[in-house]
Amino acid sequence: MAAKLRAPGFYRAGWLMVAGVGFAALLTWLVRMSTGHATFHHFLSGEAVLTVSLLAVPLAFLVGIGGFDYWFYWATGRPTRPEDHSGHGAHTWKDYFRINTDHKVIGVQYLVNSFFFLLVGGLLAMLMRAQLAQPGSHFVSANTYNGLFSVHATILIFLFMVPVFAGFGNFVIPLMIGAPDMAFPRLNALSFWLLPVAGTIMMLSFLAPGGAFADGWTAYAPLSTDAPVGQMFFSIGVQFAGASSIMTALNFLVTIITMRAPGMSFFRLPLLVWANFATSLLVVIATPFIAASQFFVLLDRALGFNFFNAAKGGDVLMYQHIFWFYSHPAVYIMILPGFGIISEIIAVKSRKPIFGYRMMAFSLLAIVGLGFTVWAHHMFTSGMANWIRIPMSITTAIIAVPTGIKVFSWLATLWRGILHLDTPMLFALGFITTFTLGGISGIMLAMVPFDIHVSSTYFIVAHIHYVLFGGSLMTIFAGAYYWFPKMTGRMYDERLGKWHFWTTFVFMNLTFGPMHILGLEGMPRRVATYAAQFADLNMWISIASFALGLSTLLFIYNMVNSWRGGPRAEANPWRGMTLEWLVSSPPPVFNFDRVPTVVGGPYEYGVPGAVHGILAPTPAPVVAAGSGMAHAPS
Amino acid sequence: MSRRRSITLAAIAAVIATAIGIVLSFAIHWFPVQASAQAHNTDTLYHVLMIASIPIFVLVVTVILYSVWQFHMKPGDELKDGPPIHGNTRLEVFWTAIPAILMLGMVGYSFVILHDNEKRPAHEIQVGVTGQQFYWSFQYPPSVTGGAEINSYDLYLPDNESVYFNMRSKDVIHAFYIPAFRLQDDVVPGITTHYLATPDRVGTYPVVCNLLCGVGHSLMRTTVHVVTPTQFRAWINSQLHPNSSSTGKFSTVRGSSG
């Protein structure tokens, strides 16, 4: 038992977390006591202990499961344990529940964790739609309702959209560039374990005195700086999720820059790798801003710093500028990797090279640059200086141009191809359709007079769900089906997959489409009840949303069932050219038993005799499947 | 069917779909009634945006549906690849330049509308708006009342006269939103925000708080009464002299609650 309590794992995490609470109690007691009775009636304050615990306990957990062991050994001068690869790879299901340094295991951990939180966030949405089915409903209280939509958005943004793409990237990027693993495997492991921590904190906020954080995922001050203690679960939970993002982004950047296989020049990279490269730049530059904004809220609320207290010289609008300086680029963080997924699928499933490969890569970089110049379009009605609206409106309209280039290039890739209309392709085509709608409503919102009317109404709710559900989530489903054989070594059920696509596509439009109309009619968002004139459409939306929620069960059933007992998958079921299809499904522990050499572009479909990569040094052609990659040029 | 014939068919279908879409965009009543000069402008902008957007969306969907129809894999093609087309610089320049020009054109047009909507007229009245959890109150300065300042929970505005709102918050951020005017702005603690509205239709219209301000946010609603200048004068007088005979018609009840 004593050995168990010392070894990295959940036992050690358990007692360290208890110690974390003790530390928080001791620290706050000491501080309050040294300040004296003049300031505090009681030296032991539950709220103070809770706030400090929110920082101390998760850190104790991460230390407990062994997230920092190697660094502690190194820092204390003890001999670091030689890397015997014992922490690498998964042999039983238990290997997914410990610190694991294999990028493929971490990728699966990321994905399963993210889909778990997709279900949680979706369930919260179902509760919201139950409340909104009728005006004046008392299904939940107004305070609970405000908590529901706040946690819904926070969970789905910080624990689903952002990390799910990191999951795909983790699994696929090293394989695609011909690397044995990520550049920093231990950092990679730590970055994953921050996520369940952040998610647990956010969900536990429902148990906090005064309820969950209830001022939206935007947490505008000064509402947030005066909120009940549940707000601290947001401010601190976001720090853990944000730290995870930054670690992974740094890891991706270093891996992509330094670990490409011989011959893999930047312009031979698959577009998914380009997309993650661009996204990681955004994450590294932007994420510290939301961390700062939430630390300011934390300091304002817990310690009375008055950053955002107008009565004490604070600046209310400053919060929004800092917040959106991250949170606008964040929408590109949540869509660029999806663009990458769609580029892979459209090329393979159309059996054609990507149309305009270089423009596809450059347009990603253009979005990264422009993405930092548009944040104040979220603030057209915020009371900021009027002139700022003009440049931000222009840049917002212009950022549609690189996005348009991508859509048109995908369409041109379809043209005269041989379209395999299976589940990943259906989601890709569905994505282009709904994302175009979301993009168009985005352009409309760039027009200031129109935005002044619909800002903060259901039109905004419709727009963001068209780009995040109709956009990002469609790419995520497409990617999940596309790489499922590679990740699990099994094939999914194609018929169920198609059912999943059609139910999702139809009910998604039936749910979010009518919200445009509600917004144009002037229904505010974030309301627990509404005027009677909006009743019919809201009932309709609620019914459609329940059907949409049910459609997700088809996906979960298909994934779980196929993983357990689906037919065995070949190494290259889609006849793809990128390197991940050169190795077995699932790939060997260190990915490539022989070093791959890249000799051509990643999408040379239809070019006679073209290959992307060969497994050197074997001289003979090594891959027999697929007309596009039958023979390496001698 | 020959390629040329099928493309012609698709183009005809696209033109018809675009026409139907544009007709529908005019036929559907998207908005609340127009009760301000700004509302007319903004609705016109919306219709122009729809006319520009519908063909783009129809184009995208048509190419997808056409590709699915013509290029889906036929039996026997399982192992075949498409033609190795890597790009076409002229086409790529075209679909970069045209959207850029279209975007700048639309943004430019929206600035014209914005300028129109916000141009301060020679004559305007000033009305103070105060937001607090969870109700609105309105301040009519002596320049409007001709007497003492009036503080009211009701918002009365004269028809066809521009009003310049000076908005302050007593606690957190609110947003003063009048859908029938197509206008809103946040009401921010520490600063005074403003907007100009020119009501041009007599009637009563909803006013809502449009920025989450706490537990009572959804019920932070009231109404704006746009009345004729004569009625407005009478209402002002009834507020200045609460006990005089004219109170009957415009007696003030607290306009909002929550």
Side-chain angles (χ1 to χ4, degrees):
Chain A
M1 195 62 203
K4 261 188 180 166
L5 290 177
R6 275 204 310 275
F10 291 117
Y11 290 103
R12 191 171 80 177
W15 71 260
L16 277 173
M17 286 160 77
V18 176
V21 177
F23 167 78
L26 186 67
L27 180 72
T28 53
W29 181 78
L30 278 173
V31 169
R32 291 166 80 94
M33 193 189 64
S34 60
T35 315
H37 271 295
T39 318
F40 297 111
H41 290 298
H42 303 287
F43 292 148
L44 205 57
S45 143
E47 204 166 281
V49 175
L50 179 57
T51 306
V52 178
S53 294
L54 280 173
L55 285 161
V57 172
L59 285 173
F61 171 79
L62 292 169
V63 169
I65 60 168
F68 297 95
D69 272 24
Y70 189 90
W71 294 307
F72 285 159
Y73 273 60
W74 184 85
T76 54
R78 279 197 276 173
T80 49
R81 282 168 295 184
E83 181 53 83
D84 59 356
H85 305 309
S86 61
H88 214 82
H91 307 286
T92 73
W93 63 270
K94 284 184 184 164
D95 288 329
Y96 287 92
F97 289 87
R98 61 170 173 80
I99 293 276
N100 199 314
T101 48
D102 182 349
H103 76 96
K104 297 182 290 301
V105 174
I106 295 172
V108 172
Q109 286 177 325
Y110 258 99
L111 289 168
V112 172
N113 185 66
S114 301
F115 280 115
F116 170 75
F117 281 108
L118 171 69
L119 293 184
V120 172
L123 276 175
L124 296 175
M126 300 292 97
L127 295 176
M128 285 153 63
R129 285 317 316 181
Q131 163 74 10
L132 291 178
Q134 288 177 312
S137 148
H138 292 284
F139 180 72
V140 293
S141 71
N143 193 40
T144 308
Y145 179 82
N146 291 356
L148 284 176
F149 70 70
S150 303
V151 181
H152 161 80
T154 307
I155 291 258
L156 287 178
I157 288 170
F158 294 106
L159 284 144
F160 179 65
M161 286 294 178
V162 176
V164 80
F165 285 124
F168 283 117
N170 250 304
F171 193 98
V172 179
I173 287 173
L175 287 164
M176 273 190 166
I177 65 172
D181 204 304
M182 297 277 281
F184 306 119
R186 294 184 198 92
L187 188 69
N188 204 13
L190 180 62
S191 80
F192 165 70
W193 282 99
L194 289 164
L195 290 172
V197 165
T200 308
I201 291 175
M202 284 163 186
M203 292 206 301
L204 284 179
S205 75
F206 280 108
L207 304 179
F213 52 93
D215 33 31
W217 78 279
T218 49
Y220 273 18
L223 189 60
S224 55
T225 54
D226 279 338
V229 73
Q231 190 60 39
M232 295 296 92
F233 288 69
F234 175 80
S235 299
I236 293 170
V238 165
Q239 305 298 348
F240 287 101
S244 165
S245 286
I246 294 173
M247 288 175 193
T248 300
L250 286 171
N251 220 340
F252 282 165
L253 286 175
V254 176
T255 306
I256 294 168
I257 292 170
T258 64
M259 293 181 66
R260 283 166 289 130
M264 181 67 96
S265 62
F266 258 77
F267 286 101
R268 282 176 179 169
L269 285 176
L271 287 170
L272 179 81
V273 182
W274 264 109
N276 276 284
F277 185 78
T279 307
S280 300
L281 286 174
L282 281 171
V283 170
V284 169
I285 301 169
T287 312
F289 284 83
I290 192 169
S293 70
Q294 296 317 310
F295 274 129
F296 293 158
V297 169
L298 174 69
L299 293 171
D300 262 16
R301 191 193 174 281
L303 300 172
F305 267 54
N306 296 327
F307 282 110
F308 307 123
N309 182 351
K312 296 281 172 72
D315 187 338
V316 174
L317 289 185
M318 187 177 73
Y319 174 86
Q320 296 173 32
H321 282 294
I322 304 172
F323 178 83
W324 288 115
F325 197 80
Y326 163 78
S327 295
H328 192 76
V331 308
Y332 301 111
I333 292 169
M334 292 183 270
I335 193 69
L336 293 192
F339 289 170
I341 292 172
I342 295 305
S343 295
E344 299 302 320
I345 292 172
I346 295 266
V348 171
K349 300 287 176 190
S350 305
R351 310 308 306 163
K352 270 185 67 201
I354 275 284
F355 192 94
Y357 169 92
R358 278 176 188 250
M359 281 302 275
M360 288 295 252
F362 289 140
S363 60
L364 287 166
L365 297 179
I367 292 172
V368 171
L370 283 170
F372 282 105
T373 65
V374 300
W375 78 90
H377 69 212
H378 296 272
M379 300 170 61
F380 283 161
T381 64
S382 69
M384 68 180 181
N386 275 346
W387 71 268
I388 308 175
R389 299 176 302 176
I390 305 300
M392 292 286 170
S393 170
I394 296 171
T395 49
T396 305
I398 287 300
I399 205 168
V401 173
T403 316
I405 290 173
K406 303 199 80 73
V407 171
F408 296 133
S409 297
W410 288 321
L411 294 180
T413 307
L414 297 177
W415 197 258
R416 294 180 59 202
I418 294 174
L419 271 54
H420 293 238
L421 295 169
D422 50 12
T423 309
M425 185 62 157
L426 287 177
F427 272 104
L429 298 180
F431 156 80
I432 298 178
T433 312
T434 44
F435 182 75
T436 301
L437 268 177
I440 287 173
S441 62
I443 294 164
M444 296 171 80
L445 289 168
M447 309 297 153
V448 180
F450 180 68
D451 185 75
I452 287 176
H453 172 48
V454 294
S455 187
S456 281
T457 67
Y458 260 77
F459 195 89
I460 301 292
V461 181
H463 165 70
I464 75 114
H465 284 92
Y466 263 87
V467 289
L468 287 183
F469 197 118
S472 308
L473 185 53
M474 294 289 225
T475 74
I476 290 160
F477 284 139
Y481 286 108
Y482 182 70
W483 281 295
F484 185 82
K486 183 55 63 186
M487 291 176 177
T488 63
R490 306 272 186 173
M491 290 302 288
Y492 61 85
D493 184 331
E494 188 63 58
R495 205 169 54 95
L496 269 180
K498 285 182 176 160
W499 270 101
H500 174 223
F501 168 73
W502 284 110
T503 48
T504 303
F505 184 78
V506 168
F507 290 116
M508 179 257 148
N509 283 295
L510 293 181
T511 302
F512 301 116
M515 290 185 184
H516 291 108
I517 302 173
L518 284 178
L520 292 171
E521 287 176 351
M523 176 168 161
R525 67 172 175 171
R526 296 176 168 177
V527 287
T529 184
Y530 47 84
Q533 64 175 116
F534 306 120
D536 292 344
L537 271 178
N538 270 291
M539 177 56 94
W540 167 278
I541 291 170
S542 287
I543 293 169
S545 75
F546 296 143
L548 181 61
L550 287 177
S551 76
T552 312
L553 298 182
L554 290 175
F555 171 72
I556 300 297
Y557 175 80
N558 197 354
M559 292 291 110
V560 172
N561 220 35
S562 304
W563 199 347
R564 288 160 52 110
R568 297 274 173 198
E570 328 161 27
N572 191 359
W574 315 129
R575 296 190 297 125
M577 289 182 91
T578 45
L579 296 183
E580 80 269 29
W581 305 110
L582 289 185
V583 295
S584 61
S585 301
V589 178
F590 290 100
N591 296 352
F592 297 93
D593 296 332
R594 285 167 294 164
V595 180
T597 304
V598 175
V599 295
Y603 307 115
E604 299 294 296
Y605 300 103
V607 182
V611 286
H612 174 49
I614 48 173
L615 292 178
T618 322
V622 290
V623 178
S627 59
M629 47 194 325
H631 297 286
S634 51
Chain B
M1 199 181 320
S2 73
R3 172 67 40 84
R4 176 175 295 225
R5 184 132 175 254
S6 59
I7 289 182
T8 312
L9 264 178
I12 293 171
V15 169
I16 294 173
T18 305
I20 292 174
I22 290 175
V23 168
L24 277 179
S25 79
F26 280 96
I28 296 172
H29 291 284
W30 302 99
F31 295 101
V33 291
Q34 296 172 327
S36 75
Q38 288 80 6
H40 295 278
N41 288 337
T42 302
D43 292 2
T44 307
L45 171 65
Y46 173 79
H47 285 295
V48 170
L49 291 174
M50 289 297 268
I51 291 171
S53 306
I54 289 169
I56 296 171
F57 181 66
V58 170
L59 174 73
V60 170
V61 173
T62 306
V63 174
I64 292 176
L65 292 179
Y66 180 82
S67 302
V68 168
W69 173 39
Q70 287 291 308
F71 306 131
H72 69 269
M73 187 186 67
K74 284 103 189 159
D77 286 352
E78 282 81 359
L79 296 179
K80 279 198 187 145
D81 286 345
I85 305 165
H86 285 85
N88 179 322
T89 308
R90 206 178 287 179
L91 194 56
E92 288 169 52
V93 168
F94 176 78
W95 70 42
T96 309
I98 297 296
I101 293 167
L102 185 67
M103 287 303 142
L104 290 176
M106 290 207 288
V107 161
Y109 174 61
S110 79
F111 291 155
V112 172
I113 301 259
L114 182 67
H115 179 79
D116 249 29
N117 277 358
E118 298 187 343
K119 195 166 54 186
R120 304 280 292 275
H123 283 285
E124 65 182 22
I125 59 168
Q126 307 250 340
V127 173
V129 176
T130 303
Q132 65 193 96
Q133 290 168 327
F134 297 99
Y135 57 91
W136 299 104
S137 60
F138 305 96
Q139 293 77 40
Y140 293 81
S143 63
V144 176
T145 63
E149 179 179 294
I150 294 172
N151 186 31
S152 164
Y153 293 112
D154 288 321
L155 178 59
Y156 278 78
L157 296 175
D159 189 23
N160 279 319
E161 182 149 14
S162 290
V163 52
Y164 192 67
F165 293 114
N166 298 304
M167 305 180 290
R168 290 176 205 85
S169 168
K170 288 194 172 172
D171 36 50
V172 298
I173 308 174
H174 305 273
F176 184 63
Y177 178 34
I178 307 175
F181 291 0
R182 317 286 187 268
L183 292 171
Q184 67 175 311
D185 208 3
D186 286 2
V187 182
V188 183
I191 58 175
T192 305
T193 57
H194 316 270
Y195 68 78
L196 181 86
T198 314
D200 63 358
R201 186 177 183 277
V202 171
T204 59
Y205 312 102
V207 175
V208 292
C209 176
N210 200 24
L211 200 96
L212 180 62
C213 60
V215 73
H217 168 61
S218 11
L219 293 171
M220 187 166 162
R221 309 179 207 149
T222 181
T223 43
V224 53
H225 306 260
V226 179
V227 295
T228 63
T230 329
Q231 288 171 316
F232 181 70
R233 199 60 244 167
W235 179 77
I236 290 286
N237 287 334
S238 74
Q239 296 296 303
L240 287 171
H241 314 288
N243 296 322
S244 73
S245 57
S246 64
T247 45
K249 194 173 174 191
F250 295 108
S251 66
T252 309
V253 272
R254 210 172 117 151
S256 58
S257 62

